[in-house]
Amino acid sequence: MLNRRSFSSKLISSAFLPFLKIPDAGFLKEISDYVSSANPSVDDEDFWAQIRMAYTTSQQIVNLNNGGVSPSPKVVQDAVEHYNKLANDGPSYYMWRIMDQGREPLRENLAKFAGVSAEEIAINRNATEAIDTVILGLPLQKGDQVVLSKYDYPNMLHAWRQREVRDGIELVYVDIDLPLADNELIIKKYTEKFTSRTKVVHLTHVVNWNGQILPVRKIADDAKKKGIKVLVDGAHSFALLDFKIPDLNCDFYGTSLHKWLSAPIGSGMLWIKKQEIKNVFPLIPNGDPFSENVRKYENLGTRSFMIEQGIGTALNFQHTIGNKRKEDRIRYLKEYWTKEAVKIPRVKMFTPLDAQYSCAIANVGMEGMEAGVIESKLFEKFKVHTSPTKWEKINGARVTPHVYTSLRDLDRLLEGLMYVSKL
């Protein structure tokens, strides 16, 4: 069994193996055995300190905007550096003839993690590319309706509005204000918009503005009964919430991998149910838009093989922690700071704090103060980095811890919020 010092040392400094060799199963098993034997709890700060040490995050700022982009642990950074050096030994040879062979094993590993077939997975650069592929590629006609929400991510809304202009489809927005701690009402708000002309419902699994978890499965179940296709934006749920894609009963799912998986920056994934692939045109055309091969969605030309292959190392790192353990720890961190923040004068939470409604992300506002002011004051005086969020009726700083976040970091946030409340 590893002791804590050797566990941390191995996790940080393990040299990356030569390309296309089987990963060091002994190394990974040693870490997994340690995690299994220790069975660390969400508040085992000694254990989580070891995970924190696997990252190279700044000591000058407290990064609480992991919902934007998460840093990668050092083993993932080392993997990308290894592939980059290999590529530059002879780019066209090592990328196209050697490194390209790594995509299929990576596809298999992503598929296993997601609980789906490898023939349904395409490796993309981010959630926007993945989901816009579906939005712009679906065979919709004038008068077809799409049900969506004003809280969906802007890039996806832009794509739907482009189809509205280009093809004459009708966008139907649910009438909902977040935060809302009432899943039955949320379900009703979506399903009451379904008509005989509804072809697609667009669902954001975890809303980026405030971290609200939507009851995707129940909405999807109702949609399927009416023959409606279900598209899920999973940018903030994949590798955070402990689930498999089929659990959602959707037809299309897109996500970024550089958020909760801590994969290299600029990596994403598209999942399309096998029987739907032939119906969705690729975003970047290939030779056969009606192909049933999911690889038609990877026709990017020259791309970053180095980033793609680094995803595999991020998956290995995820497995060492465990999905459920990771979700529980990050939710614990959210609960740690929010239960104290609500006691601070003028504080207003724009996130429902019950575990079924949120996990990592919470949005904190201040009566009489704009989101941008809160964000800037937290950073100027306390070097706490958050994301100013003003969208619909949400007006606060979005706070997003990750597995490397310490309680000391969150105490710093609370100190900052107390200071801001007195301005």
Side-chain angles (χ1 to χ4, degrees):
M1 184 188 303
L2 289 171
N3 60 36
R4 295 192 190 278
R5 184 181 300 274
S6 65
F7 169 61
S8 175
S9 175
K10 286 227 176 190
L11 207 55
I12 295 170
S13 62
S14 173
F16 197 78
L17 296 168
F19 183 70
L20 290 183
K21 286 194 175 182
I22 297 173
D24 185 353
F27 163 60
L28 296 176
K29 185 176 186 302
E30 204 171 3
I31 297 175
S32 296
D33 286 349
Y34 174 81
V35 172
S36 297
S37 62
N39 192 26
S41 61
V42 295
D43 58 353
D44 182 350
E45 298 308 317
D46 286 342
F47 169 77
W48 292 105
Q50 311 308 311
I51 300 298
R52 177 182 177 87
M53 290 174 65
Y55 287 78
T56 61
T57 50
S58 171
Q59 300 303 304
Q60 284 70 51
I61 68 170
V62 176
N63 180 24
L64 293 177
N65 188 23
N66 295 282
V69 181
S70 170
S72 295
K74 189 175 186 299
V75 288
V76 176
Q77 298 175 45
D78 288 346
V80 175
E81 183 179 357
H82 166 82
Y83 294 128
N84 188 56
K85 288 180 178 178
L86 179 64
N88 281 283
D89 285 344
S92 64
Y93 174 78
Y94 283 106
M95 288 197 306
W96 294 110
R97 298 190 184 187
I98 303 298
M99 230 180 282
D100 200 40
Q101 298 177 50
R103 183 172 296 106
E104 294 311 313
L106 173 59
R107 192 188 316 278
E108 290 280 352
N109 288 333
L110 279 170
K112 288 176 183 177
F113 182 78
V116 298
S117 165
E119 295 304 312
E120 300 172 318
I121 291 288
I123 301 165
N124 291 158
R125 292 171 293 182
N126 50 53
T128 295
E129 181 180 7
I131 297 170
D132 279 4
T133 293
V134 178
I135 294 173
L136 299 176
L138 278 168
L140 299 176
Q141 309 297 325
K142 183 176 182 179
D144 288 345
Q145 291 181 341
V146 174
V147 173
L148 67 171
S149 165
K150 57 194 174 183
Y151 292 102
D152 294 327
Y153 194 67
N155 284 354
M156 300 12 163
L157 293 177
H158 297 332
W160 281 122
R161 288 165 185 158
Q162 181 170 301
R163 289 221 63 176
E164 182 181 35
V165 172
R166 188 182 71 186
D167 301 312
I169 67 170
E170 182 181 345
L171 302 182
V172 180
Y173 294 89
V174 296
D175 181 20
I176 190 172
D177 288 323
L178 299 182
L180 180 57
D182 187 341
N183 274 341
E184 292 307 313
L185 180 56
I186 293 173
I187 294 166
K188 180 176 182 292
K189 290 289 188 179
Y190 274 89
T191 58
E192 69 184 7
K193 296 294 185 180
F194 295 164
T195 73
S196 60
R197 291 196 290 127
T198 305
K199 302 301 180 184
V200 181
V201 58
H202 181 119
L203 299 172
T204 300
H205 197 181
V206 177
V207 176
N208 78 291
W209 308 112
N210 73 336
Q212 173 125 17
I213 301 172
L214 296 187
V216 166
R217 176 59 189 253
K218 291 187 177 180
I219 299 171
D221 286 348
D222 192 84
K224 289 303 185 66
K225 293 175 184 176
K226 297 175 172 62
I228 299 168
K229 303 298 182 186
V230 179
L231 168 58
V232 173
D233 178 344
H236 284 282
S237 62
F238 192 78
L240 172 63
L241 303 182
D242 186 35
F243 73 102
K244 302 297 184 184
I245 291 177
D247 297 339
L248 305 180
N249 195 20
C250 58
D251 301 285
F252 317 99
Y253 182 96
T255 188
S256 292
L257 302 177
H258 51 238
K259 295 182 186 291
W260 299 108
L261 188 62
S262 287
I265 297 168
S267 57
M269 186 189 82
L270 168 64
W271 173 81
I272 297 186
K273 187 178 291 185
K274 181 62 178 176
Q275 58 265 38
E276 297 294 339
I277 293 173
K278 64 181 182 297
N279 300 322
V280 180
F281 277 21
L283 191 63
I284 299 176
N286 70 345
D288 181 7
F290 297 102
S291 170
E292 297 182 28
N293 190 328
V294 74
R295 294 157 189 80
K296 72 182 182 182
Y297 304 117
E298 297 174 351
N299 191 40
L300 190 61
T302 303
R303 58 192 176 278
S304 178
F305 289 86
M306 299 74 81
I307 287 174
E308 285 185 358
Q309 290 307 303
I311 297 169
T313 306
L315 274 172
N316 290 339
F317 187 83
Q318 175 87 6
H319 289 311
T320 67
I321 300 175
N323 293 357
K324 186 63 165 60
R325 182 178 290 107
K326 180 176 180 177
E327 176 185 343
D328 290 346
R329 170 62 177 184
I330 296 177
R331 183 176 280 111
Y332 169 78
L333 294 175
K334 179 213 68 180
E335 292 172 349
Y336 176 88
W337 77 266
T338 56
K339 72 180 182 181
E340 298 301 323
V342 296
K343 302 174 185 177
I344 298 174
R346 296 174 60 198
V347 156
K348 179 178 181 180
M349 298 304 304
F350 290 100
T351 300
L353 301 181
D354 187 273
Q356 68 174 313
Y357 296 113
S358 61
C359 181
I361 301 172
N363 191 296
V364 57
M366 201 74 65
E367 290 180 10
M369 191 173 292
E370 291 293 304
V373 176
I374 301 171
E375 183 270 341
S376 63
K377 295 299 181 183
L378 286 174
F379 191 78
E380 287 171 8
K381 188 170 178 63
F382 297 90
K383 293 298 178 282
V384 174
H385 175 50
T386 60
S387 177
T389 303
K390 187 173 183 180
W391 189 265
E392 296 297 328
K393 296 182 180 179
I394 297 171
N395 184 19
R398 188 184 71 178
V399 176
T400 322
H402 208 307
V403 288
Y404 66 84
T405 303
S406 69
L407 300 186
R408 184 174 62 254
D409 293 337
L410 299 177
D411 289 339
R412 184 71 169 170
L413 167 67
L414 290 168
E415 182 183 2
L417 289 174
M418 180 62 77
Y419 169 81
V420 174
S421 73
K422 298 175 181 178
L423 298 178

